[in-house]
Each structure stands twice: as structure tokens, then as C-alpha cells.
Amino acid sequence: MSDVLLEVNDLHVSFFLTEGIVRAVSGVSFQIERGKTLGIVGESGCGKSVTARAILNMVRPPGRIVSGEINYYGQSDTPIDLAKLDPHGAEIRRIRWGEISMIFQEPMTSLSPVHTIGNQMIEAIRLHMDMSKQDAAAHAVGLLARVGLAQPERLLTRYRHELSGGMRQRVMIAMALSCNPKLLIADEPTTAVDVTTQAQILNLMRDLQQEFGMAIIFITHALGVIAEVADHVVVMYLGEEAEVADVDTIYYKAAHPYTQALLRSIPRHDIKLDRLETIEGNVPDPMNMPDGCKFHPRCRHYDPGKCANPALLQIGEQHWSRCARAHEINPQLSRTEQPS
Amino acid sequence: MFQFLMRRSLAALATIWVISIVSFVIIQLPPGDFLTTYMANLREMGERVPEEQIAAMRERYGLGEPMFVQYYKWMRGIIQDGDFGRSMEWGVPVSMLLWDRIGLTVMVGLSSILFVWVVAIPVGVYSATHQYSILDYLFTFIGFLGLAIPNFLLALVLMWIGWSVFGQNVGGLYSPEYSNAPWSIGKFIDLLSHLWIPMLIVGTSWTAGLIRTMRANMLDEINQPYVETARAKGLTEWRLVWKYPVRVALNPFISTVGYALPQIVGGVLITAVVLNLPTIGPLLLRALLSQDMFMAGAIVMILSILTVIGTLISDILLAVFDPRIRLE
Ligand SMILES: Nc1ncnc2c1ncn2[C@@H]1O[C@H](COP(=O)(O)OP(=O)(O)OP(=O)(O)O)[C@@H](O)[C@H]1O
Ligand SMILES: [Mg+2]
């Protein structure tokens, strides 16, 4: 079996609204290796959640996957293209949660308001694993204990409004791991909780990854969080990837003005700045994307002569950037890595 | 839960008490006491009432005594003997006329609710899950049609259809041969065969409204993250829709069960008059027109009490169905 677990090739997802077409994801490619963590980072609205939903083939009308492949190497070396499966079919429903599970952005409302925690966990477990109700309940209790929740038996009979935000997120993590998935997609799992809880949850996820061995796609808008969890990073901007590399390269050899701007906007203890920068300008209207390089209205290195239509350039062994001037803006890139 | 039940029941009792006072005030509204009017009516028709009987009634209802004594005697009569006073127009005790009709009103009401729910909920769910589909538009169209057609018109049309197509005289709730017969299986079946028309008439406009409500409630819920979680778990669309968003979208319905009854009595009034239904609506209308105040007071009171009980039932149902309620 190859190391690659999931491979996204040139994924396009659009929403067909009466006002026009929103190209939420337009040509994204990346890979995840077994047991590794991939971080997807970008500003609000750049298509992170849509990408995540596309992987489970859960994009709902008026949106749909327009083209591209999502190759999942679950059992063997012959992949299943998740993008081609019937979204209501048995095959994708088996893979959902059984092989690829997901924690959603809104922990407050990700659990049903009128069903108990136990009901929802046992439902998931029994759907994918051949277990009696009692066994499933015992399994759920074990998981709840494992994610650090006190009195797990009692928790089974509780409702979502009886739990704090941090507890809900732990319940979601326990539920997401309940069927031993090979891939866990965590969509901004720590955005809605306080800083202390955030750190605890990040640690918890790291420990769980060691124990369960699943790969993680970690979605966030904070590059600072990525450093702590990810092996590889995809930086997204307006439905495209701006830059793809391993985490150290992103931090020390960023070769896209957008990544550089994101880096300048996070506090770092190793560089003293008078004040943190924010990225100038706003995210453009999704119906009305800029021509050429999508970042150019906000880019400090924009040169109309050079930046006409940048493609994703390979500028290192595992390093891609969608900036025509990648080499000029990053003097650290060694000469030898330059394409001829 | 027990505390919750106690609190709500006490509140209901208090409300009923206030209602009884209001009903009493209604009875007292017309000038003069009812006995004088009653006598006047009888005399007009050339009948004589023995003095002793008048004195007995005067004593029974505390006429000429202070208000609260009259109220007390009226209430005592109701609670001890179920005596709501006499109907001036009909010349018999109100309770004699009332019970049968209340039973039938509740019957028409419950069967209409059943009809409405059985139709409105699935259609609302379908419309929401297939928003802007052809069927959604069709249901919306039929729904507005149902809202726009006046009930009495529908009643006339259905009566005509019932008569000309099925050869059935659909006025009333019974065929003539059963109307004074004691209860039997045959009478019950006869009742059912008449019930569908009022059910349909009361149902249509109401169903149309409820479809809109259900559709809107569903649209609010269907994009909630917990539904997305359920979908990500690999549930089939059918199962996840009925288990999660429908369940939440139903809660507002449960809380309106209690208001259904007075709504029906009011809503069905004209229909009931047209169809000549022996329900309570026409009786109330007549009582008000002829200032038959004991009758009117009794009906208002019983309807209000039924509403209070209905509301109590909704509250309890909601507490059972919605775990968030119990907190407060
Ligand atoms: N159901 C939908 N209908 C129409 N447009 C949509 C829909 N869902 C997403 N979009 C559009 O797709 C784009 C990407 O949305 P997405 O939710 O993936 O952003 P995101 O990167 O997850 O942002 P955030 O950090 O705020 O979660 C946005 O422009 C959004 O307007
Ligand atoms: Mg998102």
C-alpha cells in the first residue's frame, strides 16, 4: 500500500445561484499521507469548508462538484474516486464516518438539540460496526472517558444544552473517532472555544492521533495553530491554493505574498514587531473575482507585466506556489531549486 | 417533572377560576334578571308558570341577592350537579343541550386535527426538502387555493357533490334514522360517513396554513450543523430528515394543539351553520342572538376550560418532547 491516503486532483466546486455562479473551489489539488496531518489555512470564505464537504461528497444543491478527482486509497492501491460516487448511495454512506469522519465548524449546534449524546453516538457506532446496543454504549462510554470527559455513563443521557462548548467539542471528537476512521476532517475545531480549551483540544487531538493512527485534515484560519499540529500545509485563497508545502517551509521559506502576509499577522516570539500587521483590503466578492492573479488587488508585489495568469509553480521538492514572482519575493529560495 | 406538572396544573386551575368569573359577568350583562325575561317570554306565548316554581328558581340561582352569592350558587350548581342554569330560549337546562354537542364538537375537532397533521406534515417536509421543485410549487399553489376559498363555499360545493355523486344527504352528522337513536356500532359508522365533509372543510384552509409553517420550520432546521453531522455519519437522507430536523420542526406544532379547539369552533361556525351540524358553534351563535345568557355563559366557559386543558396538554407534551423546556 502506498503512503498516500487521499489525493485531491484539480477539484472544482461551484454554487449555482440565481444571482450567478460562485466558484467556491476552483482547481485545488493536495495529498494526505496515512497518519499524517494536513493543515488547510485561509481567510474566511476561501473555500475550506466546501473542500471538506466535497471530500465526503456532501456538497448540497445549489452547489455541486463540477470536476476533479478525490481519490481515496482506503483498502487497497486501487482508489475510489469519491467525487464520482452517488451522494446518496450505499458506498459513500459506508465511507462517511466509517472511514472518513468529520468535526464541523460549529460545536454549539453540531449535536442535535433534542436527542441525547448517547442516542447520537450509539447511532453512529451501530451504523458502521456490528455491535449490540449494550456494546455500542460501552464503546461510547470508553471513548468519552478517553477524550477526558468526567462521568461518561451519565453523559450518555445528557443533551447538548447541558454541556459547555469545550465538552461539546470533546463529545464531537469522541463521536468522530467512534468507528476508527482512517481520516478525520476537523473544520476549525477550536475557533469557538477559549484559548485554554483550545490548547487542551489540540493536545488531545495530537495524542489521539498517536493512539488511533488516523490522518487528520485540520482546517483553520489561524496559521499559528497550524504550526502546532500540521505536517503539511495548504494555504488557500479564493478557492485556489496559494501555496503548498511542509510546515517548516511555509514558516521559513514562504514564497507567496499571501502566505507572507498571513505570517506577518500572527504574533511570534522570535521576531519583535512594533505592531502586528493585518492584510490590506478585503476578500473580494465571490461572484466577482479579480482577473488574472486573484490576490493582485491586495498584493504589494503586483507587477502587471509579470503577474498575468499565475499557475501553481513547483519551486521546491515539496513546495508549490501560485505566484509568478515567487523567486523574486523570497531570496531564501536557493538558486539550485529554481527551474531552468 | 412532578414540580413542573404541579405548577402548570395550579396555573390552569387559577385560569379556570378567572374564566368562571368572566362567564358569570357575561350572564349578568343584559339588564334585568333572566327570570323576569324568562317569565315575560312564557307569558307572551300564553303560558302560566306556577308561583312556587318561580320561587324555587329564585332561590336556586340566588336572584335578588348580592352578586357574589349569585356567583357562589351558580358555581355550586355547576360543580355539584353539573347544572349550568336554564336556557331561556329552549326552556330546558343548559346541560341537557350541551354535552352531546360538546362531544361532537370535540370529535369534529380531533378528526380535523388528525386530517390536517397527516396531510400537512409530510407535504411540508417534502416541500422543504425539495424546495423550488415542481411539486413544491404545486403544493404551494394548492395551498393558497385552499386558503383563499371560503369554508362555507367549500361546504356548499361538497354538499352538492355528496348529494349528486354519492346520493348521500350530507347535512348534519347523522342520517335521520340514527339522529335520535341510542349509540350503536351502526350509528358510529353513520357518524363517520358524515364526518369527512366537515373534516375536509375545516381541514383544507388550515392544512394550507400548516404546510407553510411546516415548510418554513423545516427550512430553518434543514441546514443546521446537526443535520450535517447526521449526514456525515452516513445515515440515509430519509432517516436523517425524519429523525432530526422534522423532530425539531414539530415542536411549534405541539405547542399549538391547545388552541386548536377554539379555533375549530370559531372556524367551523359558518360551515356548521351551512351543514347544519349539531356542534356547539351554531348553538353559541343562537344563544348570543337571542340573549340566552345562561346558555352563552356556559358555552363560553366550557370552551375556555377546554382551551386551558388543551394548553396544559401541549405544555406537558412539549416538556416530554423537547428536553430544553425542562430547564426553566
Ligand atoms: N450553500 C451555499 N450557497 C452559496 N454559496 C456558498 C454556499 N456554501 C458556501 N458558499 C460560498 O463558498 C465560498 C466558500 O465558503 P466556505 O464555507 O468553504 O468558506 P470557509 O473557507 O470555510 O470560510 P470560514 O473560515 O468562514 O468557515 C464562500 O464564498 C461562500 O459564499
Ligand atoms: Mg468554514
Side-chain angles (χ1 to χ4, degrees), chain A residues 210-233:
Chain A
Q210 299 246 302
E211 192 176 324
F212 287 76
M214 74 282 184
I216 298 180
I217 295 184
F218 196 99
I219 297 176
T220 173
H221 56 249
L223 202 45
V225 174
I226 289 284
E228 300 184 35
V229 292
D231 301 303
H232 289 90
V233 182

Short mmCIF file of all heavy atoms in Angstrom, two decimals, chain A residues 210-233:
data_model
loop_
_atom_site.label_atom_id
_atom_site.label_comp_id
_atom_site.label_asym_id
_atom_site.label_seq_id
_atom_site.Cartn_x
_atom_site.Cartn_y
_atom_site.Cartn_z
N GLN A 210 -1.77 9.75 17.74
CA GLN A 210 -0.75 8.74 18.05
C GLN A 210 -1.41 7.39 18.34
O GLN A 210 -0.96 6.35 17.89
CB GLN A 210 0.01 9.17 19.30
CG GLN A 210 0.72 10.49 19.14
CD GLN A 210 2.20 10.30 19.20
OE1 GLN A 210 2.72 9.79 20.19
NE2 GLN A 210 2.90 10.70 18.15
N GLU A 211 -2.50 7.47 19.11
CA GLU A 211 -3.14 6.25 19.58
C GLU A 211 -3.94 5.56 18.47
O GLU A 211 -3.86 4.35 18.30
CB GLU A 211 -4.05 6.64 20.73
CG GLU A 211 -4.57 5.47 21.53
CD GLU A 211 -5.39 5.97 22.71
OE1 GLU A 211 -5.03 7.02 23.30
OE2 GLU A 211 -6.41 5.33 23.01
N PHE A 212 -4.72 6.34 17.73
CA PHE A 212 -5.61 5.74 16.73
C PHE A 212 -4.98 5.67 15.34
O PHE A 212 -5.44 4.95 14.49
CB PHE A 212 -6.91 6.54 16.63
CG PHE A 212 -7.83 6.37 17.80
CD1 PHE A 212 -7.57 7.01 19.00
CD2 PHE A 212 -8.95 5.57 17.70
CE1 PHE A 212 -8.42 6.86 20.09
CE2 PHE A 212 -9.81 5.42 18.78
CZ PHE A 212 -9.53 6.06 19.98
N GLY A 213 -3.96 6.48 15.13
CA GLY A 213 -3.21 6.40 13.88
C GLY A 213 -3.92 6.96 12.67
O GLY A 213 -3.54 6.69 11.53
N MET A 214 -4.97 7.75 12.89
CA MET A 214 -5.68 8.28 11.71
C MET A 214 -4.95 9.51 11.17
O MET A 214 -4.20 10.17 11.87
CB MET A 214 -7.13 8.66 12.06
CG MET A 214 -7.31 9.91 12.88
SD MET A 214 -6.94 9.59 14.62
CE MET A 214 -7.33 11.14 15.37
N ALA A 215 -5.19 9.78 9.89
CA ALA A 215 -4.72 11.03 9.31
C ALA A 215 -5.71 12.14 9.67
O ALA A 215 -6.87 11.85 9.94
CB ALA A 215 -4.60 10.90 7.80
N ILE A 216 -5.24 13.37 9.70
CA ILE A 216 -6.14 14.48 10.04
C ILE A 216 -6.01 15.58 8.99
O ILE A 216 -4.90 15.92 8.58
CB ILE A 216 -5.78 15.07 11.43
CG1 ILE A 216 -5.95 14.02 12.52
CG2 ILE A 216 -6.65 16.29 11.73
CD1 ILE A 216 -5.63 14.52 13.92
N ILE A 217 -7.15 16.09 8.56
CA ILE A 217 -7.13 17.35 7.82
C ILE A 217 -7.59 18.41 8.80
O ILE A 217 -8.71 18.35 9.32
CB ILE A 217 -8.08 17.33 6.61
CG1 ILE A 217 -7.60 16.32 5.58
CG2 ILE A 217 -8.14 18.72 5.96
CD1 ILE A 217 -8.44 16.31 4.31
N PHE A 218 -6.71 19.33 9.09
CA PHE A 218 -7.00 20.32 10.11
C PHE A 218 -7.24 21.67 9.44
O PHE A 218 -6.33 22.25 8.87
CB PHE A 218 -5.82 20.40 11.08
CG PHE A 218 -6.15 21.08 12.36
CD1 PHE A 218 -6.45 20.35 13.50
CD2 PHE A 218 -6.18 22.47 12.44
CE1 PHE A 218 -6.77 20.98 14.68
CE2 PHE A 218 -6.50 23.11 13.62
CZ PHE A 218 -6.80 22.36 14.74
N ILE A 219 -8.46 22.12 9.50
CA ILE A 219 -8.82 23.37 8.83
C ILE A 219 -8.84 24.51 9.83
O ILE A 219 -9.39 24.36 10.92
CB ILE A 219 -10.21 23.22 8.16
CG1 ILE A 219 -10.15 22.14 7.09
CG2 ILE A 219 -10.66 24.55 7.58
CD1 ILE A 219 -11.48 21.86 6.45
N THR A 220 -8.22 25.61 9.48
CA THR A 220 -8.21 26.74 10.39
C THR A 220 -7.94 28.01 9.60
O THR A 220 -7.49 27.97 8.46
CB THR A 220 -7.14 26.57 11.48
OG1 THR A 220 -7.05 27.76 12.24
CG2 THR A 220 -5.78 26.30 10.87
N HIS A 221 -8.26 29.15 10.20
CA HIS A 221 -7.84 30.40 9.56
C HIS A 221 -6.63 30.99 10.26
O HIS A 221 -6.16 32.06 9.92
CB HIS A 221 -9.00 31.40 9.50
CG HIS A 221 -9.58 31.70 10.84
ND1 HIS A 221 -10.84 31.29 11.18
CD2 HIS A 221 -9.07 32.33 11.90
CE1 HIS A 221 -11.09 31.67 12.42
NE2 HIS A 221 -10.03 32.30 12.88
N ALA A 222 -6.14 30.27 11.28
CA ALA A 222 -5.01 30.79 12.05
C ALA A 222 -3.76 29.99 11.72
O ALA A 222 -3.65 28.82 12.08
CB ALA A 222 -5.33 30.71 13.54
N LEU A 223 -2.84 30.62 11.04
CA LEU A 223 -1.59 29.95 10.69
C LEU A 223 -0.82 29.54 11.94
O LEU A 223 -0.09 28.56 11.94
CB LEU A 223 -0.76 30.90 9.81
CG LEU A 223 0.31 30.28 8.91
CD1 LEU A 223 -0.20 29.05 8.21
CD2 LEU A 223 0.79 31.31 7.91
N GLY A 224 -1.01 30.29 13.03
CA GLY A 224 -0.33 29.98 14.28
C GLY A 224 -0.68 28.59 14.80
O GLY A 224 0.18 27.88 15.31
N VAL A 225 -1.93 28.19 14.64
CA VAL A 225 -2.36 26.87 15.12
C VAL A 225 -1.75 25.77 14.27
O VAL A 225 -1.34 24.72 14.78
CB VAL A 225 -3.90 26.79 15.09
CG1 VAL A 225 -4.37 25.39 15.44
CG2 VAL A 225 -4.51 27.81 16.03
N ILE A 226 -1.64 26.04 12.97
CA ILE A 226 -1.10 25.05 12.04
C ILE A 226 0.28 24.57 12.48
O ILE A 226 0.58 23.37 12.43
CB ILE A 226 -1.01 25.67 10.62
CG1 ILE A 226 -2.41 25.85 10.04
CG2 ILE A 226 -0.17 24.83 9.70
CD1 ILE A 226 -3.06 24.60 9.57
N ALA A 227 1.09 25.50 12.95
CA ALA A 227 2.46 25.16 13.33
C ALA A 227 2.48 24.06 14.37
O ALA A 227 3.37 23.21 14.39
CB ALA A 227 3.17 26.40 13.87
N GLU A 228 1.47 24.04 15.22
CA GLU A 228 1.48 23.08 16.32
C GLU A 228 1.00 21.71 15.90
O GLU A 228 1.31 20.74 16.57
CB GLU A 228 0.57 23.59 17.45
CG GLU A 228 1.02 24.92 18.00
CD GLU A 228 0.17 25.34 19.18
OE1 GLU A 228 -0.25 24.44 19.94
OE2 GLU A 228 -0.07 26.54 19.33
N VAL A 229 0.21 21.63 14.85
CA VAL A 229 -0.39 20.34 14.55
C VAL A 229 0.01 19.72 13.21
O VAL A 229 0.03 18.50 13.08
CB VAL A 229 -1.94 20.42 14.60
CG1 VAL A 229 -2.41 20.66 16.02
CG2 VAL A 229 -2.45 21.50 13.67
N ALA A 230 0.31 20.55 12.21
CA ALA A 230 0.35 20.01 10.85
C ALA A 230 1.73 19.54 10.42
O ALA A 230 2.75 20.04 10.89
CB ALA A 230 -0.17 21.05 9.87
N ASP A 231 1.75 18.56 9.52
CA ASP A 231 2.97 18.17 8.84
C ASP A 231 3.10 18.94 7.53
O ASP A 231 4.16 19.43 7.20
CB ASP A 231 2.96 16.67 8.55
CG ASP A 231 2.82 15.86 9.82
OD1 ASP A 231 3.68 16.03 10.71
OD2 ASP A 231 1.85 15.10 9.93
N HIS A 232 1.98 18.97 6.80
CA HIS A 232 1.96 19.70 5.54
C HIS A 232 0.88 20.77 5.60
O HIS A 232 -0.07 20.66 6.38
CB HIS A 232 1.69 18.76 4.36
CG HIS A 232 2.85 17.87 4.09
ND1 HIS A 232 2.99 16.65 4.69
CD2 HIS A 232 3.93 18.03 3.29
CE1 HIS A 232 4.11 16.09 4.28
NE2 HIS A 232 4.71 16.91 3.42
N VAL A 233 1.05 21.79 4.75
CA VAL A 233 0.11 22.90 4.79
C VAL A 233 -0.35 23.25 3.38
O VAL A 233 0.44 23.28 2.44
CB VAL A 233 0.78 24.15 5.42
CG1 VAL A 233 -0.22 25.30 5.50
CG2 VAL A 233 1.35 23.83 6.78
#
